[in-house]
Amino acid sequence: MKLGVIGFPVEHSLSPVMQEAALRAAGLEGSYRALETPPPFLRARLQEIRRDYAGVNVTIPHKESVLAYLDELSPEARAIGAVNTIVCDRQRLIGYNTDAPGFISSLDEAGIPYRNKKALVLGAGGAARAIAYALKEEGAHVAVYNRTLERAQALCKALGLHLVSAPLLDAAVHSCDLLINTTSVGLQDPLSSPLPEGCLPRAGAVVDIIYNPPVTRLMLEAQRAGLPTLGGLPMLVWQGALAFELWTGVKADLRVMYQAAQARLAEALQP
């Protein structure tokens, strides 16, 4: 069974060690590779997937652009407008979104409340779409802020969300119950944050879906302010476990996936 992840860049991904650990734990023969896929090569890569692979994950920057090349979408992926998992069934490419349920499972695992809460999503890409959709489906009141206003407007219109413009950002952050960073600001850079220093919820939880570094500057500032925080590793593991089940029909061993991802992350952080 050939599996993989397509993205650009993708060499930093923890998915290969995590998914290969899941394959071994399930007693399945197979491999999972990081498939570096620059945008101009996306179409050709998907033709290769169609011929040779059982399925792949999809990450930045392809979660939305990949839709044009798929034969079928799950109802959730169609509603979200983004795909993070592709199953190849008899050379037909079927798109799913496990980011949405994976994010909710990560909140449940951490004991972070979200139903009937005010959630503010930073960003308007594929992950933001999935998270905003999942929170709204679970009864949260969801607002979106993005530096490029047009992208935020498009997302809010598509999913029926509340738009936050730049002049209202401080007030929206201060008053939210749940702040989620889905942007790449802070990725592999512990000094950068998507928000100005001191701009934090008064009492809400702060989630950053970045997993490298495990504690971003945004999370560190929130922790210093006494706020509960959650990094990106749990969402990565949960969405990966759900994707594994779609490909194999077998439930993934979450403990093994966590251990493999944490071990590789610890190696990457060594000087």
Side-chain angles (χ1 to χ4, degrees):
M1 179 182 292
K2 288 176 70 173
L3 301 166
V5 54
I6 61 173
F8 186 74
V10 81
E11 72 276 358
H12 66 281
S13 175
L14 296 181
S15 290
V17 294
M18 192 174 76
Q19 296 287 5
E20 292 207 324
L23 286 168
R24 289 193 299 273
L28 298 172
E29 286 190 21
S31 62
Y32 185 106
R33 296 174 51 210
L35 302 167
E36 195 83 4
T37 307
F41 189 57
L42 179 60
R43 182 182 185 134
R45 178 68 81 193
L46 288 168
Q47 289 172 341
E48 178 190 358
I49 302 304
R50 193 186 293 276
R51 288 192 310 268
D52 300 332
Y53 281 73
V56 290
N57 284 126
V58 182
T59 190
I60 294 170
H62 302 314
K63 289 185 180 187
E64 295 167 80
S65 54
V66 77
L67 270 69
Y69 304 105
L70 303 181
D71 300 301
E72 188 180 332
L73 294 175
S74 72
E76 200 164 54
R78 185 178 301 282
I80 293 167
V83 160
N84 80 312
T85 301
I86 297 172
V87 174
C88 187
D89 181 15
R90 293 185 289 267
Q91 296 198 335
R92 294 183 75 256
L93 299 181
I94 306 168
Y96 294 85
N97 194 302
T98 66
D99 277 338
F103 179 74
I104 295 299
S105 293
S106 74
L107 294 183
D108 288 337
E109 184 181 62
I112 294 175
Y114 50 87
R115 289 186 179 90
N116 299 313
K117 300 295 185 181
K118 290 169 64 178
L120 174 60
V121 176
L122 305 178
R129 297 184 78 91
I131 286 168
Y133 170 86
L135 287 169
K136 186 182 179 189
E137 286 290 296
E138 293 291 339
H141 309 285
V142 185
V144 175
Y145 169 77
N146 191 59
R147 282 181 300 184
T148 305
L149 184 63
E150 291 77 15
R151 280 179 65 79
Q153 287 173 325
L155 173 52
C156 290
K157 184 178 179 183
L159 297 183
L161 310 174
H162 179 66
L163 177 70
V164 174
S165 59
L168 300 175
L169 178 60
D170 279 9
V173 171
H174 292 324
S175 64
C176 73
D177 303 305
L178 180 59
L179 175 71
I180 308 106
N181 176 41
T182 73
T183 76
S184 60
V185 178
L187 178 63
Q188 298 179 327
D189 180 6
L191 299 179
S192 61
S193 170
L195 293 174
E197 189 170 358
C199 183
L200 292 167
R202 289 196 190 93
V206 174
V207 180
D208 197 327
I209 69 167
I210 289 170
Y211 57 79
N212 185 9
V215 179
T216 61
R217 178 172 173 178
L218 176 64
M219 290 171 63
L220 186 61
E221 290 181 5
Q223 288 168 4
R224 286 173 176 162
L227 300 174
T229 63
L230 180 66
L233 190 61
M235 178 182 171
L236 177 76
V237 172
W238 278 100
Q239 66 77 27
L242 293 167
F244 182 90
E245 191 171 347
L246 286 171
W247 297 321
T248 67
V250 176
K251 279 202 178 296
D253 188 326
L254 279 160
R255 183 182 57 84
V256 163
M257 294 178 82
Y258 262 116
Q259 287 174 343
Q262 286 165 337
R264 178 53 60 89
L265 196 52
E267 280 176 27
L269 293 170
Q270 298 232 336

